[in-house]
Amino acid sequence: MEKREKVMNKNKNENAIGIGKFWAWNSRAISVAAWLMIISYLNIYCTDILHLSPGILGVLLMASKLFDGVTDMIAGFLVDRTKTPLGKGRPYELAIVGLWLCTMFMFSTPTNWSEIAKYVWVLTMYILSNAVFHTFLNASNTVYMVRAFNNQQKYVKLSSLGGIVTTAGAMIVSVTMPMIIAQIGYEAEPWKRMIAAYSIPLMIIGLMRFVFIKEEHDVVAVDENGEEQKVDFTSLKLLLRQNKYIYPMLLASLLLNFIANMGGASYYYSYVFGNIGIMSLTGILSVVCLPLMAFFPKILKRMSLSNFIACGSLITVVGVLGIGFAGKNVVLLVIANIIYGLGNLMAQMMLALMIVDCAEYNEYKGMPRMEGVMNSIYGLAGKIGSAVGTGVFGILLSIAGYDATKEVTNSVLNMIRFGYIYLPAILFLIIAITMHSNKLGDSIEEIRKVNKERRNELHNKSSN
């Protein structure tokens, strides 16, 4: 009995993160989550303040992904090949500074500039924030995590329990920003001050991970001589050809970001519901779903990661259709938003953990782990989804005849409903079906065991 208690206490200590490390690690996640909330207002800022065409803007943002694709792959290879005294992924955390500076500049576009100058400035800042700074933050995230913690249970806790504080942090923006907009309207100078008021403290918060979390573990895939396997373009070709499990993850990343970045909420609550301020109420009350994330680690002990994400996607389908069904009934609207929020948390917060599983599979198949490269491909899929989502919604509005200077027509209202309610429901259903078909989770524990034994064996051989 005493021996069993010692083993349990040992396992408990091995899986403990520590309060300080927990908050320090999630500081950057909070900052980026808040940034994603703010950037979702770019469309309405450009159309209603800068008076730019939603169709042209959408096409330009989609075109920016051509450059984004190049930087994503470069970032992945750079991170995987990085070796510094600070570590492999940690140095790239400094990109958070550039991310927020570009965001402030983007939402400070002078209204007296010509249309072409406005398009160029917004597009340049958007490319820098997305294709450079956000790209390196994405590419280094998993690389940094597995070397800072090196424990699967810790990864799950950081993604699930960390998701509570990350979402709560982002929710502060999602709740307060509509309230502020309802007061200041669509005027350039108040928006500039509002974005700066968010950006500066969130930039400082985002640096806490870099300051306090060190890389303490060397996690590498080794060859038969016990030497680290190098990452090159041949490795990338092997990854794309031999690891079929990355494709459901990439599709889910693309579609989730497509949905999240369409920017339809501000249009839906402004014009269909008739009061953008209600977004603050639904955001405040939807906080009740956050404590449920504390049960995610226990559920994931009994369910594969992909099936968990599939269940979350199905719950989200119910929630988003419920928003449409609620109409202007505030009670039903809040309930539907809570359901939507829970399902979305299950999918969004846990999807990136599949990179770790895919890295284990790479090592199991004799390839480099390639967390950085896979993070970049994963980030690329997400950013393509976000840009296309932003662009598609703008194009849909243009097709319907949206003009911020004129009265909104029924065709515009119906298009907003389609883009915010029915299209996301279809896409979440596709995610659920795709993730359920991914069977890597059925054998991942055995794969981890084999990899650990192989590393130990090769390490002992090289030591002797």
Side-chain angles (χ1 to χ4, degrees):
M1 184 71 176
E2 184 178 347
K3 183 178 180 180
R4 182 182 176 186
E5 288 180 356
K6 287 182 178 179
V7 171
M8 291 176 64
N9 288 333
K10 181 181 178 181
N11 291 336
K12 186 176 180 180
N13 291 333
E14 287 178 349
N15 295 334
I17 296 173
I19 295 176
K21 276 192 170 183
F22 175 83
W23 282 100
W25 178 262
N26 283 292
S27 62
R28 199 264 274 176
I30 292 170
S31 182
V32 173
W35 175 78
L36 290 171
M37 294 299 307
I38 289 173
I39 208 72
S40 69
Y41 286 86
L42 178 61
N43 250 21
I44 202 165
Y45 169 78
C46 290
T47 58
D48 288 28
I49 294 178
L50 301 182
H51 300 298
L52 299 177
S53 164
I56 296 175
L57 181 69
V59 170
L60 289 175
L61 294 182
M62 284 193 285
S64 74
K65 293 300 111 181
L66 295 174
F67 181 72
D68 222 350
V70 175
T71 58
D72 266 293
M73 297 314 303
I74 292 173
F77 280 103
L78 283 176
V79 172
D80 272 332
R81 297 172 74 90
T82 294
K83 288 185 179 180
T84 73
L86 288 174
K88 198 177 188 74
R90 188 183 178 197
Y92 297 100
E93 291 294 307
L94 294 174
I96 196 73
V97 176
L99 184 78
W100 280 111
L101 288 177
C102 286
T103 301
M104 283 192 287
F105 295 150
M106 184 161 42
F107 283 94
S108 300
T109 306
T111 55
N112 60 349
W113 281 2
S114 67
E115 277 198 6
I116 293 177
K118 291 175 186 176
Y119 283 124
V120 170
W121 181 254
V122 170
L123 185 63
T124 300
M125 292 300 106
Y126 183 81
I127 288 175
L128 285 174
S129 59
N130 269 281
V132 179
F133 299 116
H134 194 217
T135 287
F136 276 99
L137 290 170
N138 270 334
S140 62
N141 187 63
T142 303
V143 174
Y144 191 4
M145 181 179 70
V146 298
R147 287 159 182 80
F149 298 97
N150 192 28
N151 181 297
Q152 179 65 19
Q153 289 300 312
K154 289 181 181 179
Y155 305 156
V156 172
K157 287 180 180 178
L158 288 170
S159 297
S160 56
L161 300 181
I164 297 176
V165 298
T166 300
T167 306
M171 195 171 287
I172 293 175
V173 175
S174 70
V175 169
T176 58
M177 200 162 173
M179 295 171 64
I180 296 172
I181 294 172
Q183 293 295 317
I184 66 175
Y186 294 96
E187 298 293 334
E189 277 303 313
W191 270 68
K192 179 180 177 180
R193 293 193 294 270
M194 174 182 68
I195 298 299
Y198 282 117
S199 299
I200 295 172
L202 284 167
M203 179 173 64
I204 295 171
I205 290 170
L207 285 167
M208 294 300 101
R209 180 190 291 188
F210 170 80
V211 173
F212 294 110
I213 304 292
K214 297 179 180 180
E215 291 187 12
E216 299 175 338
H217 307 282
D218 190 20
V219 181
V220 296
V222 295
D223 59 24
E224 61 274 8
N225 298 317
E227 297 181 358
E228 180 179 357
Q229 296 195 23
K230 303 299 181 183
V231 176
D232 51 27
F233 283 101
T234 301
S235 306
L236 175 60
K237 288 191 290 186
L238 283 173
L239 169 69
L240 297 176
R241 188 167 64 244
Q242 296 188 16
N243 193 337
K244 63 182 180 181
Y245 299 111
I246 66 170
Y247 294 106
M249 175 186 72
L250 297 180
L251 178 61
S253 176
L254 188 150
L255 295 181
L256 285 172
N257 282 278
F258 179 99
I259 297 165
N261 288 274
M262 281 196 294
S266 53
Y267 289 98
Y268 183 84
Y269 286 102
S270 292
Y271 299 116
V272 177
F273 189 85
N275 179 9
I276 192 173
I278 199 67
M279 288 176 65
S280 297
L281 175 62
T282 58
I284 292 170
L285 295 180
S286 63
V287 74
V288 299
C289 70
L290 291 183
L292 297 176
M293 293 182 69
F295 297 97
F296 287 5
K298 293 183 179 179
I299 297 172
L300 283 167
K301 289 180 180 179
R302 297 171 173 81
M303 178 185 292
S304 71
L305 186 59
S306 55
N307 280 337
F308 183 83
I309 295 168
C311 287
S313 300
L314 289 175
I315 292 172
T316 309
V317 171
V318 175
V320 72
L321 291 176
I323 292 173
F325 176 78
K328 294 191 176 184
N329 186 308
V330 176
V331 175
L332 292 179
L333 188 67
V334 168
I335 294 172
N337 270 281
I338 291 173
I339 295 171
Y340 178 91
L342 174 61
N344 201 34
L345 287 174
M346 292 173 67
Q348 288 274 13
M349 292 298 175
M350 308 310 295
L351 182 62
L353 279 183
M354 293 193 70
I355 296 172
V356 181
D357 288 356
C358 288
E360 293 285 353
Y361 182 79
N362 287 346
E363 184 178 352
Y364 179 72
K365 287 294 184 178
M367 297 184 288
R369 290 178 62 89
M370 290 185 282
E371 291 106 333
V373 170
M374 286 192 293
N375 245 317
S376 289
I377 300 173
Y378 173 83
L380 173 60
K383 281 185 280 185
I384 290 174
S386 67
V388 174
T390 302
V392 164
F393 203 85
I395 292 170
L396 290 175
L397 289 177
S398 290
I399 292 172
Y402 175 80
D403 187 335
T405 63
K406 298 178 181 179
E407 187 175 348
V408 177
T409 63
N410 286 332
S411 62
V412 171
L413 293 176
N414 289 332
M415 189 63 80
I416 291 173
R417 290 188 185 96
F418 171 76
Y420 185 63
I421 302 295
Y422 302 111
L423 181 57
I426 294 169
L427 298 181
F428 275 117
L429 186 60
I430 292 173
I431 294 170
I433 294 170
T434 304
M435 295 308 298
H436 181 66
S437 68
N438 189 341
K439 302 301 181 184
L440 178 58
D442 296 341
S443 55
I444 191 63
E445 290 303 324
E446 182 61 26
I447 289 173
R448 286 197 188 99
K449 182 180 178 182
V450 171
N451 286 344
K452 187 175 181 180
E453 291 174 352
R454 185 187 296 164
R455 282 188 223 123
N456 291 336
E457 182 181 338
L458 291 172
H459 177 74
N460 294 333
K461 186 186 295 184
S462 62
S463 299
N464 296 330

